[in-house]
Amino acid sequence: MIEQINTLSPVELRHLIRKGTYTKPTSGLAPGYTQANLVVLPKSLAYDFLLFTQRNPKPCPVLEVSDVGSRQLHQFAKDIDLANDFPRYRIYKKGILQQEVTSVAPFWRDDLVSFLIGCSFSFESELLAAGIEVRNITQGVNVPMFDTDIPLQSAGHFHGKMVVSMRPIPENQVVKAVKVTADMPRVHGAPIQIGNPEQIGIKDVFKPDYGDPVTINEGEVPVFWPCGVTPQNVIMASKPDFVITHDPGHMLVTDIKNTALKYD
Amino acid sequence: MIEQINTLSPVELRHLIRKGTYTKPTSGLAPGYTQANLVVLPKSLAYDFLLFTQRNPKPCPVLEVSDVGSRQLHQFAKDIDLANDFPRYRIYKKGILQQEVTSVAPFWRDDLVSFLIGCSFSFESELLAAGIEVRNITQGVNVPMFDTDIPLQSAGHFHGKMVVSMRPIPENQVVKAVKVTADMPRVHGAPIQIGNPEQIGIKDVFKPDYGDPVTINEGEVPVFWPCGVTPQNVIMASKPDFVITHDPGHMLVTDIKNTALKYD
C-alpha cells in the first residue's frame, strides 16, 4: 500500500485524500513536489494575517492566497478542494484547539480565506540531493520542532514567537546546508541558528515541543530553520475567534515542483 | 549644491526634503542606500492591494507596510514622515491624476496605509559594481520605462499590466546582468525579457511611455526589468477612489543599504 501510494501523482493523491481513503502524514509522498501548510481565517482577519506574513517571511513564506470563500487555487494546484485535500485539519476557537477532522467542508463559510505557506519538506529533498543526510527521514520520524524566544514582528491582531525545525548536520556540511536552503526562500530559506540552541531559548534539543526527537551524532551540530508551524503558535498566542489549520505533517501536495520554487 | 547634496546621509536628506528645500529626483543621492516607491491607500483597499503585491512580487516587491494611519516606519527608516519625506507626490482620484504636490500632510487621513515598494535604483549600483555600464546614469537621464501587454494576477479591486524599465547591455555582459539582479528579488530581481521588445508588446524601444529614451549601441541588447511604476499603471486601470503615490524618480531615501537587501 505504502509503496503504491509513493508512485501516485499529486492529483491522484489529492483524490485519494479527498475521498477520506488516506488520512496519514504526507512526508515522502509525490517526491519532488511542493507540500504546503494551511491557515484559513475569516476575511475580517485576513489583512492582519497577510501583513503578518509580509513582516515575517522566514517562518511564514506565503505560497498562495485563495480568493474569499473559494476552495480552489489559481497557481499551486488545479482540481483541488481546500476543504478536503489535506489528510487532517485542526479547528481553533479563540486560540484553543477544538478538534481534529479529516474534512472541514461542514465548517466552510463564504467569508473564509485560505493561506498556503511553504514547508521545509521542500528543501529536505534538496539537502538529500546535495548529499546531506536528513536525520528525521533516515529515522522515519517527524522532524523535531521547538518553540523559541525569537520575537516576530506584530501586525494588527497577530503576534507571537518563532517555531523552528532542527536537523543535525555534520560540521563539514553546515556551509553546504546553508547554501542549499538559502536558495529556497519560499520554503523558509537559510537557517536562523547554527549550533547554539540556548541562544534562541531552547533548553533541551532532545525534547522537541512538536514532532519527534532525533539522534545527534558526534561531530554533528544542531541546525535550526524557521518553521511553518509558527502560524499555529501565533494563533494560540493571538486567540482569533475562528481559524482552521492543517494537522502538522498532514500537508497539501501541490502540482508545483520544489525546484521550480527556486527560480520563480 | 548638487555635490554637497551627494554627501548627505539618508536622514539628512529626508530632513531637507521634509522642509521642502529639495524637491527634485533622488537618483544618485545617498549612494548605496535603498530608495523606495510609494503607494498610499485607505485601509478599505489595503487587503486587496497587499494581496495584489503578494501575487505579483516581481513588479511589486513590498519592502514595508506602515501601520494604519501612521506616517512612521519600523524597519526601513527611523526619523521619518511619510507625508513629507518624498520630494514629490501624486494624488489620484478614481484612477485619474489630480495633482502633484511636495507634501501630502494636508491630505492625510487616519485610515491611510502606506506601502513601500522596491526600486531598481538599488540594483543599478550593483550592476555598476559588477563593471556593467548603466546607460541612463551615463547619459544623466531618467531610465526609460514602457507599458507592456504582460498581464498581472488580479486581486479583488486591482488588475492591470506590467510596466518595465529598459537598460541596454552589451551581449557579452547579459548573463552577468541577469546574475547580479537575480540576487536581488526585493528590488525586482532578474529581467523579464531579453532582446525582444515586441514579445511583450513594446513597439518602439526609443519611445518610452515614462522616463527618457537612451542610446542603444551596436552589440547591445535591450534588457527589460519589472518596474515599480507598475502600481501607478494598476491604479489608473483599477480606478480606486483615492490613492497617493510618489512622483516617479522622486523616491524615499531609506536607512537600509542595498547590499543588506540581498541577504535579508
PDB file of all heavy atoms in Angstrom, chain A residues 43 46-47 50-51 54-55 58 62-67 113 115 264, chain B residues 43 46-47 50-51 54-55 58 62-67 74 113 115 264:
ATOM      1  N   LYS A  43     -12.394  36.604   6.439  1.00  0.00           N
ATOM      2  CA  LYS A  43     -11.887  37.777   5.718  1.00  0.00           C
ATOM      3  C   LYS A  43     -11.574  38.932   6.677  1.00  0.00           C
ATOM      4  O   LYS A  43     -10.627  39.696   6.458  1.00  0.00           O
ATOM      5  CB  LYS A  43     -12.907  38.211   4.668  1.00  0.00           C
ATOM      6  CG  LYS A  43     -12.645  39.531   3.966  1.00  0.00           C
ATOM      7  CD  LYS A  43     -11.389  39.491   3.112  1.00  0.00           C
ATOM      8  CE  LYS A  43     -11.345  40.601   2.069  1.00  0.00           C
ATOM      9  NZ  LYS A  43     -11.311  41.944   2.632  1.00  0.00           N
ATOM     10  N   ALA A  46      -8.084  38.641   7.606  1.00  0.00           N
ATOM     11  CA  ALA A  46      -7.142  38.277   6.543  1.00  0.00           C
ATOM     12  C   ALA A  46      -6.089  39.357   6.297  1.00  0.00           C
ATOM     13  O   ALA A  46      -4.927  39.046   6.020  1.00  0.00           O
ATOM     14  CB  ALA A  46      -7.887  37.955   5.253  1.00  0.00           C
ATOM     15  N   TYR A  47      -6.475  40.648   6.415  1.00  0.00           N
ATOM     16  CA  TYR A  47      -5.474  41.685   6.176  1.00  0.00           C
ATOM     17  C   TYR A  47      -4.366  41.612   7.225  1.00  0.00           C
ATOM     18  O   TYR A  47      -3.174  41.617   6.895  1.00  0.00           O
ATOM     19  CB  TYR A  47      -6.090  43.089   6.167  1.00  0.00           C
ATOM     20  CG  TYR A  47      -5.033  44.173   6.030  1.00  0.00           C
ATOM     21  CD1 TYR A  47      -4.392  44.377   4.826  1.00  0.00           C
ATOM     22  CD2 TYR A  47      -4.645  44.944   7.127  1.00  0.00           C
ATOM     23  CE1 TYR A  47      -3.402  45.334   4.692  1.00  0.00           C
ATOM     24  CE2 TYR A  47      -3.650  45.911   7.004  1.00  0.00           C
ATOM     25  CZ  TYR A  47      -3.034  46.100   5.793  1.00  0.00           C
ATOM     26  OH  TYR A  47      -2.044  47.028   5.659  1.00  0.00           O
ATOM     27  N   LEU A  50      -2.201  38.538   6.518  1.00  0.00           N
ATOM     28  CA  LEU A  50      -1.350  38.697   5.329  1.00  0.00           C
ATOM     29  C   LEU A  50      -0.193  39.656   5.632  1.00  0.00           C
ATOM     30  O   LEU A  50       0.952  39.416   5.242  1.00  0.00           O
ATOM     31  CB  LEU A  50      -2.187  39.193   4.143  1.00  0.00           C
ATOM     32  CG  LEU A  50      -1.472  39.317   2.797  1.00  0.00           C
ATOM     33  CD1 LEU A  50      -0.813  38.008   2.382  1.00  0.00           C
ATOM     34  CD2 LEU A  50      -2.446  39.779   1.707  1.00  0.00           C
ATOM     35  N   LEU A  51      -0.501  40.723   6.371  1.00  0.00           N
ATOM     36  CA  LEU A  51       0.554  41.668   6.760  1.00  0.00           C
ATOM     37  C   LEU A  51       1.554  40.994   7.706  1.00  0.00           C
ATOM     38  O   LEU A  51       2.772  41.213   7.601  1.00  0.00           O
ATOM     39  CB  LEU A  51      -0.072  42.897   7.423  1.00  0.00           C
ATOM     40  CG  LEU A  51       0.896  44.025   7.806  1.00  0.00           C
ATOM     41  CD1 LEU A  51       1.661  44.538   6.600  1.00  0.00           C
ATOM     42  CD2 LEU A  51       0.139  45.178   8.470  1.00  0.00           C
ATOM     43  N   GLN A  54       3.856  39.111   5.615  1.00  0.00           N
ATOM     44  CA  GLN A  54       4.776  40.010   4.889  1.00  0.00           C
ATOM     45  C   GLN A  54       5.900  40.456   5.813  1.00  0.00           C
ATOM     46  O   GLN A  54       7.048  40.578   5.392  1.00  0.00           O
ATOM     47  CB  GLN A  54       3.992  41.216   4.351  1.00  0.00           C
ATOM     48  CG  GLN A  54       4.743  42.070   3.320  1.00  0.00           C
ATOM     49  CD  GLN A  54       5.716  43.050   3.964  1.00  0.00           C
ATOM     50  OE1 GLN A  54       5.490  43.558   5.057  1.00  0.00           O
ATOM     51  NE2 GLN A  54       6.833  43.297   3.284  1.00  0.00           N
ATOM     52  N   ARG A  55       5.570  40.667   7.090  1.00  0.00           N
ATOM     53  CA  ARG A  55       6.580  41.138   8.039  1.00  0.00           C
ATOM     54  C   ARG A  55       7.448  40.014   8.582  1.00  0.00           C
ATOM     55  O   ARG A  55       8.492  40.283   9.192  1.00  0.00           O
ATOM     56  CB  ARG A  55       5.879  41.867   9.200  1.00  0.00           C
ATOM     57  CG  ARG A  55       5.280  43.196   8.764  1.00  0.00           C
ATOM     58  CD  ARG A  55       4.610  43.938   9.911  1.00  0.00           C
ATOM     59  NE  ARG A  55       4.137  45.241   9.437  1.00  0.00           N
ATOM     60  CZ  ARG A  55       3.416  46.084  10.171  1.00  0.00           C
ATOM     61  NH1 ARG A  55       3.073  45.778  11.412  1.00  0.00           N
ATOM     62  NH2 ARG A  55       3.038  47.239   9.672  1.00  0.00           N
ATOM     63  N   LYS A  58      10.269  34.659   6.819  1.00  0.00           N
ATOM     64  CA  LYS A  58      11.058  33.438   7.004  1.00  0.00           C
ATOM     65  C   LYS A  58      10.215  32.316   7.616  1.00  0.00           C
ATOM     66  O   LYS A  58      10.156  31.225   7.051  1.00  0.00           O
ATOM     67  CB  LYS A  58      12.312  33.728   7.823  1.00  0.00           C
ATOM     68  CG  LYS A  58      13.314  34.553   7.012  1.00  0.00           C
ATOM     69  CD  LYS A  58      14.478  35.026   7.851  1.00  0.00           C
ATOM     70  CE  LYS A  58      15.311  36.015   7.042  1.00  0.00           C
ATOM     71  NZ  LYS A  58      16.401  36.595   7.823  1.00  0.00           N
ATOM     72  N   VAL A  62       4.471  32.914   2.253  1.00  0.00           N
ATOM     73  CA  VAL A  62       3.182  32.614   1.616  1.00  0.00           C
ATOM     74  C   VAL A  62       3.404  32.123   0.186  1.00  0.00           C
ATOM     75  O   VAL A  62       4.065  32.795  -0.612  1.00  0.00           O
ATOM     76  CB  VAL A  62       2.269  33.848   1.614  1.00  0.00           C
ATOM     77  CG1 VAL A  62       1.011  33.574   0.786  1.00  0.00           C
ATOM     78  CG2 VAL A  62       1.884  34.209   3.034  1.00  0.00           C
ATOM     79  N   LEU A  63       2.866  30.955  -0.121  1.00  0.00           N
ATOM     80  CA  LEU A  63       2.938  30.432  -1.485  1.00  0.00           C
ATOM     81  C   LEU A  63       1.763  30.946  -2.306  1.00  0.00           C
ATOM     82  O   LEU A  63       1.922  31.346  -3.446  1.00  0.00           O
ATOM     83  CB  LEU A  63       2.939  28.900  -1.470  1.00  0.00           C
ATOM     84  CG  LEU A  63       4.149  28.255  -0.791  1.00  0.00           C
ATOM     85  CD1 LEU A  63       3.993  26.737  -0.750  1.00  0.00           C
ATOM     86  CD2 LEU A  63       5.441  28.624  -1.530  1.00  0.00           C
ATOM     87  N   GLU A  64       0.568  30.914  -1.708  1.00  0.00           N
ATOM     88  CA  GLU A  64      -0.614  31.378  -2.439  1.00  0.00           C
ATOM     89  C   GLU A  64      -1.728  31.700  -1.451  1.00  0.00           C
ATOM     90  O   GLU A  64      -1.822  31.076  -0.386  1.00  0.00           O
ATOM     91  CB  GLU A  64      -1.087  30.312  -3.432  1.00  0.00           C
ATOM     92  CG  GLU A  64      -2.275  30.779  -4.262  1.00  0.00           C
ATOM     93  CD  GLU A  64      -2.594  29.906  -5.478  1.00  0.00           C
ATOM     94  OE1 GLU A  64      -1.856  28.946  -5.761  1.00  0.00           O
ATOM     95  OE2 GLU A  64      -3.597  30.215  -6.146  1.00  0.00           O
ATOM     96  N   VAL A  65      -2.566  32.686  -1.802  1.00  0.00           N
ATOM     97  CA  VAL A  65      -3.745  33.046  -1.010  1.00  0.00           C
ATOM     98  C   VAL A  65      -4.968  32.833  -1.893  1.00  0.00           C
ATOM     99  O   VAL A  65      -4.999  33.298  -3.036  1.00  0.00           O
ATOM    100  CB  VAL A  65      -3.682  34.518  -0.552  1.00  0.00           C
ATOM    101  CG1 VAL A  65      -4.887  34.850   0.343  1.00  0.00           C
ATOM    102  CG2 VAL A  65      -2.379  34.800   0.188  1.00  0.00           C
ATOM    103  N   SER A  66      -5.972  32.140  -1.385  1.00  0.00           N
ATOM    104  CA  SER A  66      -7.189  31.890  -2.170  1.00  0.00           C
ATOM    105  C   SER A  66      -8.006  33.169  -2.296  1.00  0.00           C
ATOM    106  O   SER A  66      -7.827  34.114  -1.532  1.00  0.00           O
ATOM    107  CB  SER A  66      -8.039  30.828  -1.479  1.00  0.00           C
ATOM    108  OG  SER A  66      -8.721  31.419  -0.373  1.00  0.00           O
ATOM    109  N   ASP A  67      -8.942  33.174  -3.234  1.00  0.00           N
ATOM    110  CA  ASP A  67      -9.954  34.229  -3.246  1.00  0.00           C
ATOM    111  C   ASP A  67     -10.918  33.991  -2.081  1.00  0.00           C
ATOM    112  O   ASP A  67     -11.044  32.861  -1.595  1.00  0.00           O
ATOM    113  CB  ASP A  67     -10.686  34.222  -4.587  1.00  0.00           C
ATOM    114  CG  ASP A  67      -9.777  34.657  -5.735  1.00  0.00           C
ATOM    115  OD1 ASP A  67      -8.922  35.542  -5.496  1.00  0.00           O
ATOM    116  OD2 ASP A  67      -9.891  34.113  -6.839  1.00  0.00           O
ATOM    117  N   VAL A 113     -10.785  32.766   3.983  1.00  0.00           N
ATOM    118  CA  VAL A 113      -9.645  32.947   3.081  1.00  0.00           C
ATOM    119  C   VAL A 113      -8.576  31.931   3.479  1.00  0.00           C
ATOM    120  O   VAL A 113      -8.281  31.777   4.667  1.00  0.00           O
ATOM    121  CB  VAL A 113      -9.060  34.364   3.195  1.00  0.00           C
ATOM    122  CG1 VAL A 113      -7.895  34.549   2.235  1.00  0.00           C
ATOM    123  CG2 VAL A 113     -10.128  35.414   2.948  1.00  0.00           C
ATOM    124  N   PHE A 115      -4.671  30.508   3.315  1.00  0.00           N
ATOM    125  CA  PHE A 115      -3.265  30.839   3.090  1.00  0.00           C
ATOM    126  C   PHE A 115      -2.456  29.545   2.999  1.00  0.00           C
ATOM    127  O   PHE A 115      -2.448  28.766   3.951  1.00  0.00           O
ATOM    128  CB  PHE A 115      -2.723  31.679   4.247  1.00  0.00           C
ATOM    129  CG  PHE A 115      -3.331  33.043   4.336  1.00  0.00           C
ATOM    130  CD1 PHE A 115      -4.592  33.236   4.876  1.00  0.00           C
ATOM    131  CD2 PHE A 115      -2.637  34.155   3.872  1.00  0.00           C
ATOM    132  CE1 PHE A 115      -5.158  34.494   4.950  1.00  0.00           C
ATOM    133  CE2 PHE A 115      -3.190  35.425   3.948  1.00  0.00           C
ATOM    134  CZ  PHE A 115      -4.451  35.591   4.490  1.00  0.00           C
ATOM    135  N   ASP A 264      11.460  31.018  -9.296  1.00  0.00           N
ATOM    136  CA  ASP A 264      10.205  31.734  -9.505  1.00  0.00           C
ATOM    137  C   ASP A 264      10.437  33.235  -9.547  1.00  0.00           C
ATOM    138  O   ASP A 264      11.192  33.768  -8.761  1.00  0.00           O
ATOM    139  CB  ASP A 264       9.262  31.403  -8.351  1.00  0.00           C
ATOM    140  CG  ASP A 264       7.976  30.840  -8.903  1.00  0.00           C
ATOM    141  OD1 ASP A 264       7.938  30.550 -10.105  1.00  0.00           O
ATOM    142  OD2 ASP A 264       7.028  30.688  -8.129  1.00  0.00           O
TER     143      ASP A 264
ATOM    144  N   LYS B  43      -7.484  52.053   4.246  1.00  0.00           N
ATOM    145  CA  LYS B  43      -7.478  50.684   4.782  1.00  0.00           C
ATOM    146  C   LYS B  43      -8.475  49.778   4.056  1.00  0.00           C
ATOM    147  O   LYS B  43      -8.223  48.584   3.877  1.00  0.00           O
ATOM    148  CB  LYS B  43      -7.787  50.731   6.286  1.00  0.00           C
ATOM    149  CG  LYS B  43      -8.019  49.406   6.971  1.00  0.00           C
ATOM    150  CD  LYS B  43      -6.785  48.537   7.021  1.00  0.00           C
ATOM    151  CE  LYS B  43      -6.861  47.439   8.066  1.00  0.00           C
ATOM    152  NZ  LYS B  43      -7.946  46.476   7.831  1.00  0.00           N
ATOM    153  N   ALA B  46      -6.670  48.157   1.383  1.00  0.00           N
ATOM    154  CA  ALA B  46      -5.315  47.686   1.668  1.00  0.00           C
ATOM    155  C   ALA B  46      -5.180  46.166   1.528  1.00  0.00           C
ATOM    156  O   ALA B  46      -4.143  45.673   1.073  1.00  0.00           O
ATOM    157  CB  ALA B  46      -4.888  48.122   3.075  1.00  0.00           C
ATOM    158  N   TYR B  47      -6.225  45.400   1.899  1.00  0.00           N
ATOM    159  CA  TYR B  47      -6.101  43.940   1.752  1.00  0.00           C
ATOM    160  C   TYR B  47      -5.941  43.575   0.287  1.00  0.00           C
ATOM    161  O   TYR B  47      -5.044  42.813  -0.073  1.00  0.00           O
ATOM    162  CB  TYR B  47      -7.304  43.208   2.364  1.00  0.00           C
ATOM    163  CG  TYR B  47      -7.227  41.715   2.120  1.00  0.00           C
ATOM    164  CD1 TYR B  47      -6.315  40.934   2.824  1.00  0.00           C
ATOM    165  CD2 TYR B  47      -8.024  41.100   1.162  1.00  0.00           C
ATOM    166  CE1 TYR B  47      -6.208  39.571   2.580  1.00  0.00           C
ATOM    167  CE2 TYR B  47      -7.929  39.740   0.917  1.00  0.00           C
ATOM    168  CZ  TYR B  47      -7.014  38.978   1.628  1.00  0.00           C
ATOM    169  OH  TYR B  47      -6.902  37.629   1.383  1.00  0.00           O
ATOM    170  N   LEU B  50      -2.447  44.590  -0.891  1.00  0.00           N
ATOM    171  CA  LEU B  50      -1.383  43.734  -0.343  1.00  0.00           C
ATOM    172  C   LEU B  50      -1.400  42.362  -1.017  1.00  0.00           C
ATOM    173  O   LEU B  50      -0.352  41.804  -1.353  1.00  0.00           O
ATOM    174  CB  LEU B  50      -1.548  43.601   1.183  1.00  0.00           C
ATOM    175  CG  LEU B  50      -0.466  42.826   1.930  1.00  0.00           C
ATOM    176  CD1 LEU B  50       0.926  43.373   1.674  1.00  0.00           C
ATOM    177  CD2 LEU B  50      -0.748  42.822   3.441  1.00  0.00           C
ATOM    178  N   LEU B  51      -2.621  41.842  -1.257  1.00  0.00           N
ATOM    179  CA  LEU B  51      -2.732  40.556  -1.956  1.00  0.00           C
ATOM    180  C   LEU B  51      -2.225  40.687  -3.391  1.00  0.00           C
ATOM    181  O   LEU B  51      -1.558  39.779  -3.909  1.00  0.00           O
ATOM    182  CB  LEU B  51      -4.192  40.082  -1.926  1.00  0.00           C
ATOM    183  CG  LEU B  51      -4.463  38.707  -2.534  1.00  0.00           C
ATOM    184  CD1 LEU B  51      -3.650  37.621  -1.845  1.00  0.00           C
ATOM    185  CD2 LEU B  51      -5.962  38.375  -2.449  1.00  0.00           C
ATOM    186  N   GLN B  54       1.405  40.410  -3.263  1.00  0.00           N
ATOM    187  CA  GLN B  54       1.828  39.027  -2.990  1.00  0.00           C
ATOM    188  C   GLN B  54       1.758  38.198  -4.269  1.00  0.00           C
ATOM    189  O   GLN B  54       2.599  37.343  -4.514  1.00  0.00           O
ATOM    190  CB  GLN B  54       0.929  38.427  -1.894  1.00  0.00           C
ATOM    191  CG  GLN B  54       1.424  37.105  -1.305  1.00  0.00           C
ATOM    192  CD  GLN B  54       1.098  35.889  -2.156  1.00  0.00           C
ATOM    193  OE1 GLN B  54       0.084  35.833  -2.830  1.00  0.00           O
ATOM    194  NE2 GLN B  54       2.000  34.905  -2.135  1.00  0.00           N
ATOM    195  N   ARG B  55       0.746  38.476  -5.100  1.00  0.00           N
ATOM    196  CA  ARG B  55       0.566  37.688  -6.327  1.00  0.00           C
ATOM    197  C   ARG B  55       1.469  38.171  -7.461  1.00  0.00           C
ATOM    198  O   ARG B  55       1.630  37.465  -8.458  1.00  0.00           O
ATOM    199  CB  ARG B  55      -0.905  37.754  -6.765  1.00  0.00           C
ATOM    200  CG  ARG B  55      -1.815  36.981  -5.830  1.00  0.00           C
ATOM    201  CD  ARG B  55      -3.269  37.001  -6.283  1.00  0.00           C
ATOM    202  NE  ARG B  55      -4.062  36.168  -5.377  1.00  0.00           N
ATOM    203  CZ  ARG B  55      -5.392  36.071  -5.420  1.00  0.00           C
ATOM    204  NH1 ARG B  55      -6.079  36.734  -6.329  1.00  0.00           N
ATOM    205  NH2 ARG B  55      -6.034  35.296  -4.563  1.00  0.00           N
ATOM    206  N   LYS B  58       7.267  40.401  -8.553  1.00  0.00           N
ATOM    207  CA  LYS B  58       8.356  40.935  -9.374  1.00  0.00           C
ATOM    208  C   LYS B  58       8.180  42.434  -9.653  1.00  0.00           C
ATOM    209  O   LYS B  58       9.074  43.211  -9.355  1.00  0.00           O
ATOM    210  CB  LYS B  58       8.515  40.127 -10.657  1.00  0.00           C
ATOM    211  CG  LYS B  58       9.074  38.733 -10.371  1.00  0.00           C
ATOM    212  CD  LYS B  58       9.071  37.827 -11.576  1.00  0.00           C
ATOM    213  CE  LYS B  58       9.430  36.402 -11.148  1.00  0.00           C
ATOM    214  NZ  LYS B  58       9.364  35.456 -12.260  1.00  0.00           N
ATOM    215  N   VAL B  62       7.189  44.295  -2.046  1.00  0.00           N
ATOM    216  CA  VAL B  62       6.920  45.160  -0.894  1.00  0.00           C
ATOM    217  C   VAL B  62       8.108  45.135   0.064  1.00  0.00           C
ATOM    218  O   VAL B  62       8.552  44.071   0.500  1.00  0.00           O
ATOM    219  CB  VAL B  62       5.648  44.714  -0.152  1.00  0.00           C
ATOM    220  CG1 VAL B  62       5.479  45.510   1.140  1.00  0.00           C
ATOM    221  CG2 VAL B  62       4.429  44.926  -1.040  1.00  0.00           C
ATOM    222  N   LEU B  63       8.621  46.317   0.373  1.00  0.00           N
ATOM    223  CA  LEU B  63       9.696  46.424   1.353  1.00  0.00           C
ATOM    224  C   LEU B  63       9.120  46.536   2.759  1.00  0.00           C
ATOM    225  O   LEU B  63       9.597  45.899   3.689  1.00  0.00           O
ATOM    226  CB  LEU B  63      10.588  47.632   1.047  1.00  0.00           C
ATOM    227  CG  LEU B  63      11.355  47.560  -0.274  1.00  0.00           C
ATOM    228  CD1 LEU B  63      12.127  48.855  -0.514  1.00  0.00           C
ATOM    229  CD2 LEU B  63      12.310  46.369  -0.289  1.00  0.00           C
ATOM    230  N   GLU B  64       8.088  47.380   2.916  1.00  0.00           N
ATOM    231  CA  GLU B  64       7.478  47.562   4.237  1.00  0.00           C
ATOM    232  C   GLU B  64       6.095  48.150   4.073  1.00  0.00           C
ATOM    233  O   GLU B  64       5.836  48.908   3.133  1.00  0.00           O
ATOM    234  CB  GLU B  64       8.356  48.483   5.110  1.00  0.00           C
ATOM    235  CG  GLU B  64       7.804  48.633   6.515  1.00  0.00           C
ATOM    236  CD  GLU B  64       8.788  49.264   7.506  1.00  0.00           C
ATOM    237  OE1 GLU B  64       9.938  49.557   7.142  1.00  0.00           O
ATOM    238  OE2 GLU B  64       8.361  49.464   8.663  1.00  0.00           O
ATOM    239  N   VAL B  65       5.210  47.787   5.008  1.00  0.00           N
ATOM    240  CA  VAL B  65       3.860  48.355   5.051  1.00  0.00           C
ATOM    241  C   VAL B  65       3.713  49.062   6.392  1.00  0.00           C
ATOM    242  O   VAL B  65       4.015  48.489   7.440  1.00  0.00           O
ATOM    243  CB  VAL B  65       2.786  47.252   4.921  1.00  0.00           C
ATOM    244  CG1 VAL B  65       1.384  47.869   4.910  1.00  0.00           C
ATOM    245  CG2 VAL B  65       3.020  46.401   3.683  1.00  0.00           C
ATOM    246  N   SER B  66       3.231  50.295   6.372  1.00  0.00           N
ATOM    247  CA  SER B  66       3.060  51.051   7.623  1.00  0.00           C
ATOM    248  C   SER B  66       1.872  50.513   8.416  1.00  0.00           C
ATOM    249  O   SER B  66       1.023  49.798   7.872  1.00  0.00           O
ATOM    250  CB  SER B  66       2.782  52.520   7.301  1.00  0.00           C
ATOM    251  OG  SER B  66       1.433  52.674   6.875  1.00  0.00           O
ATOM    252  N   ASP B  67       1.789  50.857   9.686  1.00  0.00           N
ATOM    253  CA  ASP B  67       0.565  50.620  10.439  1.00  0.00           C
ATOM    254  C   ASP B  67      -0.504  51.604   9.952  1.00  0.00           C
ATOM    255  O   ASP B  67      -0.177  52.663   9.392  1.00  0.00           O
ATOM    256  CB  ASP B  67       0.837  50.791  11.940  1.00  0.00           C
ATOM    257  CG  ASP B  67       1.755  49.694  12.477  1.00  0.00           C
ATOM    258  OD1 ASP B  67       1.646  48.547  12.007  1.00  0.00           O
ATOM    259  OD2 ASP B  67       2.594  49.992  13.353  1.00  0.00           O
ATOM    260  N   HIS B  74       8.805  51.033  10.730  1.00  0.00           N
ATOM    261  CA  HIS B  74       9.518  50.272  11.759  1.00  0.00           C
ATOM    262  C   HIS B  74      10.910  49.830  11.286  1.00  0.00           C
ATOM    263  O   HIS B  74      11.851  49.781  12.050  1.00  0.00           O
ATOM    264  CB  HIS B  74       8.733  49.018  12.153  1.00  0.00           C
ATOM    265  CG  HIS B  74       7.411  49.305  12.780  1.00  0.00           C
ATOM    266  ND1 HIS B  74       7.282  49.850  14.029  1.00  0.00           N
ATOM    267  CD2 HIS B  74       6.142  49.135  12.321  1.00  0.00           C
ATOM    268  CE1 HIS B  74       5.995  49.995  14.330  1.00  0.00           C
ATOM    269  NE2 HIS B  74       5.278  49.567  13.301  1.00  0.00           N
ATOM    270  N   VAL B 113      -2.960  53.661   4.679  1.00  0.00           N
ATOM    271  CA  VAL B 113      -1.879  52.680   4.838  1.00  0.00           C
ATOM    272  C   VAL B 113      -0.850  52.942   3.740  1.00  0.00           C
ATOM    273  O   VAL B 113      -1.230  53.119   2.580  1.00  0.00           O
ATOM    274  CB  VAL B 113      -2.409  51.239   4.707  1.00  0.00           C
ATOM    275  CG1 VAL B 113      -1.291  50.225   4.907  1.00  0.00           C
ATOM    276  CG2 VAL B 113      -3.549  50.981   5.694  1.00  0.00           C
ATOM    277  N   PHE B 115       2.445  51.729   1.508  1.00  0.00           N
ATOM    278  CA  PHE B 115       3.236  50.604   1.011  1.00  0.00           C
ATOM    279  C   PHE B 115       4.525  51.135   0.394  1.00  0.00           C
ATOM    280  O   PHE B 115       4.476  51.934  -0.548  1.00  0.00           O
ATOM    281  CB  PHE B 115       2.457  49.847  -0.065  1.00  0.00           C
ATOM    282  CG  PHE B 115       1.239  49.143   0.442  1.00  0.00           C
ATOM    283  CD1 PHE B 115       0.072  49.841   0.712  1.00  0.00           C
ATOM    284  CD2 PHE B 115       1.263  47.781   0.662  1.00  0.00           C
ATOM    285  CE1 PHE B 115      -1.054  49.193   1.186  1.00  0.00           C
ATOM    286  CE2 PHE B 115       0.143  47.115   1.143  1.00  0.00           C
ATOM    287  CZ  PHE B 115      -1.026  47.824   1.408  1.00  0.00           C
ATOM    288  N   ASP B 264      18.738  39.452   3.318  1.00  0.00           N
ATOM    289  CA  ASP B 264      17.663  39.552   4.312  1.00  0.00           C
ATOM    290  C   ASP B 264      16.945  38.215   4.491  1.00  0.00           C
ATOM    291  O   ASP B 264      16.657  37.537   3.545  1.00  0.00           O
ATOM    292  CB  ASP B 264      16.669  40.605   3.817  1.00  0.00           C
ATOM    293  CG  ASP B 264      16.496  41.684   4.849  1.00  0.00           C
ATOM    294  OD1 ASP B 264      17.282  41.703   5.791  1.00  0.00           O
ATOM    295  OD2 ASP B 264      15.581  42.500   4.693  1.00  0.00           O
TER     296      ASP B 264
END
